[in-house]
Amino acid sequence: MAYFYEEVSHTFSEYLLVPGYSSAECVPANVSLRVPLVKHKKGEPPAISLNIPLVSAVMQSVSNDTMATALAREGGISFIYASQSISAQAEMVEKVKGYKAGFVESESNIRPDQTLRDILTLKKEKGHSTVAVTDDGSSSGRLVGLVTSKDYRVSRLSPDTPVSDFMTPLESLNFARVGITLSEANNIIWNKKINALPIIDENGILKYFVFRKDYDTHKENPNELLDKNKSYMVGAGINTRDYEERVPALLEAGADVLCIDSSEGFSEWQSRTIKYIKENYGDRAKVGAGNIVDKEGFLFLAEAGADFVKVGIGGGSICITREAKGIGRGQATAIIDVADARNEYYEKTGVYVPICSDGGIVHDYHLTLALAMGADFCMLGRYFSRFDEAPTQKVRINGSYMKEYWGEGSARARNWQRYDLGGDGKLSFEEGVDSYVPYAGSLRDNLGVTLAKIRSTMCNCGAQSVAELQEKAKLTLVSSVSIVEGGAHDVVLKDNSAIPAK
C-alpha cells in the first residue's frame, strides 16, 4: 500500500508567529532583507543576492521586461516568461540589461520636419516635456536637436510651425558620448544647470538620456539590484524541451540567472537540463530548478547541481493541479520539510542551496511566515499581476478596475512544456485557470507597504535579518476559531460614506 505521511499538510493561514524580545536597536529601519539567490559554499558570499526576498513568477501575465525593470529597481528580480519564442524572450532580457541605472532610452521622439501640433500631441500621449529630435523620429536615430517646454509658446507659434524652426539644435546642446559614467553625467547636469543630457555614440546616434530628476529617484532606490556594469539584473525561465537552443540565446542576451519552469521538478528531464547547462557553461550560468515539496525532491535537485530550488505544487491562486490530479502538498508543510533538508545538506556538504517558496501566498504576512519557516525568498504571481507594470490589460468589471491574470497551465497560455512528462507536445487538460485580479496601482507603492509589514513583524520577533528571523522565530498552529478571532469580529464596521445623524 501507499506510504502515508503522519503529519497533516498545513497552509500558511494555519500558523501565527509568537512575538519575541525586541531590543531598542530592533526597529524597521535597521532590518536588512538581503538574502542569497544562488548556492554558495560555507564562508563564501553568494554570486548573486537579492536586496528584498521577492521574485516575480515565470508567467505570461506577470513577468515581462517592464516588470523586470520595475522590480529590479526595488531590489528583487523577475524571471521573464519562457512560453514565447526564444528571440522574443531574449529581446526582453536585452531590454532590461540595456536599461542601465540612470541611463534611459528616449520614449518621446520626433522628426525635424514634423510640427508643433505633433509635439503637443506627443506630450499629451507620453506626458514628457523633453522630446528628442532625430533624423528618422525614432529613439535610435541620429540626434539633431532637442525640444523642451522652454523652446516654444503655444500662444505665439502656429501649430503648423516645423520642429526644426524652434528646436535647440545639436550644436547648441550639452551632450556626452557613450562610455561616460553615471557619476560623470550627473556632474555635467549639475555644472551646466540642465535637466537632460543626451548620450550619443560616435556616429551621432542617440543611445540614452540622463535626467536630473532621476538623480533623486536613484537616491530614493538604495536597494536597486545591479550587476557590476550598473545594469539591472534579470532572470529568465526555461523549459526541459528546447533548452539547448534557448539557454545560449538567453545567456548571450545577458540573463543573470535562469529558472526551469516546471510544475514538477523531481524528474530526469530536469537533471538532464541542469547537466547540459553546467557542462557547457560551468558555474557562470546560474539555474534554479523545481518545483518539489519534500526532502527527496530537494536532495535530487541539489545533487543535480541546481543553484536554488523552488518549493510548491498546486498552491498558486490560478493553479488547479491539486483538483485536476490530486498532486501537491500544503505550502507551509512543504517549506518546513524542505528547509530541514536544506539545512542538513548544508551541514553535510558545506554548500548552501537557497529555497524559494512558490505559491500559497494570500496575505502579506504569509511572506514573513514563509521566511520564518526557512524560505530564502518567495516567488509571486498574483501579487505582481495586479500592478501597472504587469503586461496584462486593465479592464472594468462591474464598476471596478481589474487586471487579467491566467495560469501557465491554462488553455490560454498554451504552455504544455511546463507540464512536460516526455509525451506528446500538447496540453491534454488544464492545470490553470483564466481569471481577473483587482487592479492595485503601481508596484512601488504597494511593495513599499508589503515590505514595511515584513520589517515590522521581524522586529516583533526580535530579528534584524532573515537569517536571524529563521533562528529566533516561534510558530504556533491556530484553530479555525482562532483564525476568525484574528480578524475584525463582533462589531459593525463603519461605512465611510455614511451621513452623520443630526
Side-chain angles (χ1 to χ4, degrees):
M1 62 184 293
Y3 173 81
F4 285 87
Y5 286 89
E6 293 183 3
E7 75 277 12
V8 174
S9 182
H10 295 288
T11 66
F12 292 129
S13 289
E14 296 175 79
Y15 286 91
L16 287 175
L17 284 157
V18 177
Y21 170 74
S22 299
S23 67
E25 291 75 29
C26 195
V27 294
N30 292 337
V31 171
S32 169
L33 294 178
R34 189 172 174 83
V35 294
L37 175 64
V38 296
K39 69 181 179 185
H40 55 281
K41 294 180 180 179
K42 189 173 185 177
E44 297 180 2
I48 306 174
S49 292
L50 299 171
N51 291 327
I52 62 171
L54 304 180
V55 304
S56 67
V58 191
M59 299 178 69
Q60 295 174 8
S61 55
V62 179
S63 297
N64 65 346
D65 53 294
T66 305
M67 176 62 71
T69 300
L71 187 51
R73 185 178 294 124
E74 303 301 325
I77 199 168
S78 291
F79 288 90
I80 292 178
Y81 67 94
S83 49
Q84 59 179 318
S85 70
I86 295 172
S87 60
Q89 188 184 18
E91 184 178 353
M92 286 188 181
V93 171
E94 288 177 344
K95 285 184 178 179
V96 180
K97 299 307 292 184
Y99 192 111
K100 289 190 176 182
F103 293 87
V104 299
E105 293 184 1
S106 179
E107 295 184 3
S108 293
N109 310 282
I110 204 162
R111 298 190 313 274
D113 61 339
Q114 291 182 267
T115 65
L116 175 60
R117 180 182 291 107
D118 296 318
I119 285 284
L120 298 177
T121 299
L122 190 60
K123 184 176 181 181
K124 185 176 180 180
E125 289 178 357
K126 301 288 188 177
H128 300 147
S129 58
T130 298
V131 178
V133 186
T134 60
D135 59 347
D136 61 1
S138 73
S139 62
S140 58
R142 183 172 57 84
L143 183 67
V144 297
L146 208 63
V147 174
T148 71
S149 56
K150 297 178 181 179
D151 291 314
Y152 60 88
R153 289 181 64 180
V154 176
S155 60
R156 295 192 177 186
L157 283 179
S158 164
D160 296 318
T161 305
V163 169
S164 57
D165 285 2
F166 58 87
M167 72 180 188
T168 301
L170 179 63
E171 54 267 24
S172 300
L173 289 175
N174 290 289
F175 61 87
R177 299 287 183 181
V178 171
I180 190 173
T181 67
L182 182 59
S183 177
E184 292 169 340
N186 280 321
N187 286 338
I188 293 174
I189 287 174
W190 289 98
N191 292 337
K192 299 294 185 180
K193 298 181 180 180
I194 56 178
N195 292 322
L197 180 70
I199 311 296
I200 61 177
D201 68 10
E202 65 276 8
N203 298 314
I205 300 299
L206 177 62
K207 305 301 289 187
Y208 307 106
F209 270 107
V210 177
F211 292 99
R212 174 186 288 262
K213 63 181 178 61
D214 285 344
Y215 178 83
D216 293 329
T217 299
H218 293 301
K219 290 297 182 182
E220 294 171 1
N221 293 291
N223 288 325
E224 286 181 315
L225 194 63
L226 307 173
D227 64 18
K228 62 182 179 180
N229 297 316
K230 302 297 183 182
S231 294
Y232 287 133
M233 301 193 80
V234 60
I238 60 174
N239 60 60
T240 57
R241 281 277 179 149
D242 64 7
Y243 55 86
E244 293 187 9
E245 295 79 35
R246 191 174 294 269
V247 169
L250 294 174
L251 294 177
E252 178 66 25
D256 296 284
V257 59
L258 306 173
C259 180
I260 302 174
D261 181 38
S262 174
S263 65
E264 207 279 293
F266 198 172
S267 74
E268 182 180 347
W269 308 110
Q270 294 228 354
S271 62
R272 286 184 183 181
T273 305
I274 297 170
K275 181 180 180 181
Y276 165 82
I277 293 171
K278 295 302 181 180
E279 286 184 348
N280 287 274
Y281 301 98
D283 198 45
R284 74 180 182 89
K286 307 299 183 183
V287 56
N291 286 22
I292 51 86
V293 292
D294 61 6
K295 176 180 180 179
E296 288 75 17
F298 170 83
L299 293 175
F300 173 80
L301 292 177
E303 291 294 337
D307 288 288
F308 67 84
V309 174
K310 283 204 299 167
V311 182
I313 293 177
S317 60
I318 40 66
C319 182
I320 56 172
T321 293
R322 296 181 193 175
E323 290 182 11
K325 297 168 63 176
I327 287 285
R329 197 178 192 187
Q331 188 67 5
T333 299
I335 290 294
I336 293 169
D337 190 14
V338 175
D340 282 340
R342 185 266 320 278
N343 295 340
E344 290 177 8
Y345 187 80
Y346 180 52
E347 289 297 321
K348 178 182 178 181
T349 66
V351 177
Y352 187 91
V353 182
I355 61 173
C356 167
S357 178
D358 180 17
I361 302 296
V362 180
H363 305 291
D364 285 350
Y365 81 90
H366 288 172
L367 295 167
T368 318
L369 283 172
L371 297 173
M373 290 171 179
D376 293 281
F377 55 96
C378 298
M379 178 172 279
L380 305 172
R382 181 194 61 84
Y383 178 89
F384 288 114
S385 71
R386 304 172 299 149
F387 303 146
D388 291 319
E389 294 80 1
T392 56
Q393 294 292 320
K394 182 173 72 172
V395 296
R396 196 171 178 86
I397 305 292
N398 296 327
S400 299
Y401 281 110
M402 312 289 281
K403 290 274 283 185
E404 294 180 304
Y405 179 47
W406 60 92
E408 289 299 300
S410 66
R412 179 173 184 175
R414 299 181 181 276
N415 186 13
W416 62 267
Q417 294 94 335
R418 189 176 196 274
Y419 302 86
D420 181 26
L421 293 175
D424 295 333
K426 64 178 182 178
L427 195 66
S428 300
F429 54 89
E430 288 186 294
E431 293 188 45
V433 299
D434 194 350
S435 64
Y436 298 104
V437 290
Y439 168 67
S442 75
L443 179 148
R444 180 177 176 81
D445 291 343
N446 287 275
L447 186 59
V449 174
T450 297
L451 296 177
K453 291 178 182 178
I454 294 174
R455 290 189 176 99
S456 180
T457 306
M458 288 173 62
C459 285
N460 292 144
C461 297
Q464 296 185 62
S465 69
V466 173
E468 191 176 11
L469 174 67
Q470 292 168 352
E471 178 185 340
K472 293 184 175 181
K474 296 179 290 185
L475 292 159
T476 181
L477 277 167
V478 294
S479 67
S480 59
V481 178
S482 181
I483 293 172
V484 174
E485 178 187 61
H489 59 90
D490 301 313
V491 294
V492 177
L493 296 178
K494 287 185 177 181
D495 181 353
N496 292 330
S497 63
I499 301 175
K502 294 182 178 179

